[in-house]
Amino acid sequence: MAENKSIDGLSTHADKKAKSTPKKSKKTVKTVSPEDFASTPDSNIWDSIIENNEPEKQEIELIEEIDEKVEEPKEEIKKPAKKPKRVDGFTPIKKAEKPLNFLKPVAAYDFDEEEGLLESEDTVEDMKNIGLGEKEIEEKTEEKDEEPEMTAKELKKKAKLEAKKAKKDAKKKPSKKRKIITITALVIVLLMIGIVVWAIFWGNDIIAKITGGRGNIFDFFVETYEPLKTDANGRTNILAIGTGGYNMDGDEGNGVHDGAQLTDSIMLISFDQNTGDVAMISLPRDLKGPATCTSTGKINEVYWCNGGGGDASVEQEEKAATAVMDAVGSILGVDIQYYAHLNWGSLASIVDLLGGITVTLDEDINDYNYTEAVFKAGVPYDIDGAQAVGLARARHGTTGGDFSRGQSQQKIIVGIKNKLLEKNLSITDMLSLVSTLGDNLRTNFSVAEIKTLGHDLTTLDFDVMRHISLYPDYMTTGMLNGISYVLPKAGAGNYKTIQLYVAKQLSSDPRDYEEPTIAIYNASDTDGLASEEKIKLENKGYTINLIDNAPEGEYEQGTSIYVVNPEKAGTKRMLEEEYNYTPKGKDELPTTIAPNYDFIIILNNK
């Protein structure tokens, strides 16, 4: 089959306009007359054509020569040119209004099996290529010359027919390949819809469990934050209680033991959203507390006695947890706003999901026979979920029993916090975490409060988190009616000294619980400068432990403050605001001054 061809952009008959034009071009061919050639240096070409009307071969050669001499058209002609008269077998070229140019038409062919090309604006060379003889070529050329030019009405009709045909072709049935692609896309869309619907129901179920029906999955996507409740000191207090088993039924894998729904872990977490201070207090499970449903009356029975555990409803769960909040609050003298109930399953799953945590204990633990927890003091240990559970339960082979266990549980929480801050959880990890917590965590937080809590966790100063211990200064062990208890040192049921100590530790003024030591040195020539500063600070609630003249040496001009004990972060912040000065570290303290106090103020106001 012959390809679409043209000879230097011109058909073999200059008198024939292109029947079909390229789809991307709307230009029309502008015809020119012999006079155009007469006015150009190439007019002799036209004279040669008129005088020597040779066969088709000469015609082709002459047209090629013409094409080499002309340029492409520079302007569109919107109106079709009228059919010119023939001169000696050639179509005379109408005189152009502008400099001579030729537009190269592109031939479009309809293929025919017997004749090769049909209804094409083909050239003589194309006809020869498909095997036509000279006679057939001449006949076809004459047929094309005799074709009448279409009127504007006929062109409009033809355009309508072509548009109708294109519309009909567009409505044809899609190919098999297109059907497969369409069906595949539809299946993907349906699967995505199914996943979204499943996620919504699953997410709602998880959030309903965690919050006790206080929100749904959509609340997490709304930019709303609800301020956390606080006590009179501006602190938010959360009671964390832990029950045995790897689910809320207390199942340990080989059945449910009798004490599965006893709260063996009781911990108060208190923080100040404004100062960033965080404190933790653990209560031993054997502490003698308010009366319970048994004759024993231990604090760890309160949850179980009020219907908590097992298949308890949301209402029953909240009733039981609230009862523990009230009991712990009455012992410590603290207003508790929230609770979080977890079990061993959540602890093990969270630690494993994080890839393990690192803990460093303050005492040796050798609980070989019960939990198999064996640790050395001061040594960092990388532990997995099962080891974390064993450490959290260990009270044998320790110096403080339940008190040591409470301290170990606090170390585990710090380890989880540190790993969360350093590890970037993937989407899969977060979904696993949410799922684990959904099955093993119950709280009275709303969704908006959870989002606020998540924001506050990034601002709290966990590096100086305080572990408030009640043993041995305020609690001891003893026997009552043949039963071993943890009792207040002031006597069974007397919690007054405990409450006073806790109130001081959870004060809104950090100086109450940090009890900072402060020394003031006068490095100037002005007498009595340190004494004046002491009086000013004491009137503002500070306790000044020393005033003195600074030894001979070089000191910074003005007032300078040095922090020797960075753990007293609250007092440091207050002094910084008091003097509008950023305190320096211990390493910058002049060598002439002994670092014997938490804070040292040097006055050099000459």
Side-chain angles (χ1 to χ4, degrees), residues 285-287 289 292 296-302 483-485:
R285 68 174 188 171
D286 290 336
L287 176 65
T292 64
T296 305
K298 293 184 177 182
I299 190 68
N300 69 336
E301 298 173 343
V302 176
I483 301 174
S484 176
Y485 288 97

Side-chain angles (χ1 to χ4, degrees), residues 354-427:
L354 294 174
I357 61 173
T358 302
V359 295
T360 304
L361 305 180
D362 297 328
E363 65 171 287
D364 293 347
I365 295 181
N366 298 295
D367 194 4
Y368 295 99
N369 300 324
Y370 293 90
T371 64
E372 300 181 355
V374 179
F375 297 87
K376 293 294 182 181
V379 179
Y381 287 91
D382 294 326
I383 61 176
D384 60 18
Q387 292 170 319
V389 170
L391 177 60
R393 298 177 60 196
R395 62 191 180 103
H396 300 283
T398 65
T399 58
D402 273 339
F403 296 103
S404 295
R405 179 164 69 173
Q407 292 177 354
S408 297
Q409 291 169 355
Q410 292 183 19
K411 296 289 186 180
I412 291 171
I413 289 178
V414 172
I416 292 174
K417 179 268 301 180
N418 291 338
K419 198 59 176 284
L420 280 170
L421 293 179
E422 72 181 46
K423 184 179 177 66
N424 291 323
L425 295 179
S426 66
I427 294 178

Side-chain angles (χ1 to χ4, degrees), residues 502-546:
V502 170
K504 187 176 182 180
Q505 293 300 310
L506 300 184
S507 168
S508 58
D509 189 337
R511 294 172 299 184
D512 291 340
Y513 52 83
E514 290 182 348
E515 298 181 341
T517 56
I518 302 175
I520 303 176
Y521 291 92
N522 182 5
S524 71
D525 296 332
T526 304
D527 293 336
L529 198 61
S531 297
E532 292 177 4
E533 196 71 17
K534 176 178 182 292
I535 294 172
K536 183 180 72 173
L537 289 178
E538 285 181 339
N539 288 336
K540 294 183 178 182
Y542 291 90
T543 298
I544 306 303
N545 303 89
L546 173 72

Side-chain angles (χ1 to χ4, degrees), residues 15-41:
D15 61 330
K16 180 67 184 88
K17 285 182 60 176
K19 286 175 61 178
S20 59
T21 57
K23 293 183 179 179
K24 295 183 179 179
S25 175
K26 296 183 179 180
K27 295 183 178 180
T28 59
V29 179
K30 181 176 181 181
T31 60
V32 295
S33 67
E35 287 80 358
D36 293 297
F37 286 95
S39 62
T40 66

Side-chain angles (χ1 to χ4, degrees), residues 36 93 177 179 182 190 202 218 224 242 252 255 259 300 323 345 354 427 434 498 553 565 596 600:
D36 293 297
I93 303 174
K177 183 178 180 181
K179 285 183 178 180
T182 302
L190 291 175
W202 172 78
F218 297 105
T224 56
E252 296 183 20
N300 69 336
L354 294 174
I427 294 178
V434 171
I498 293 176
N565 186 356
N596 297 330
I600 295 175

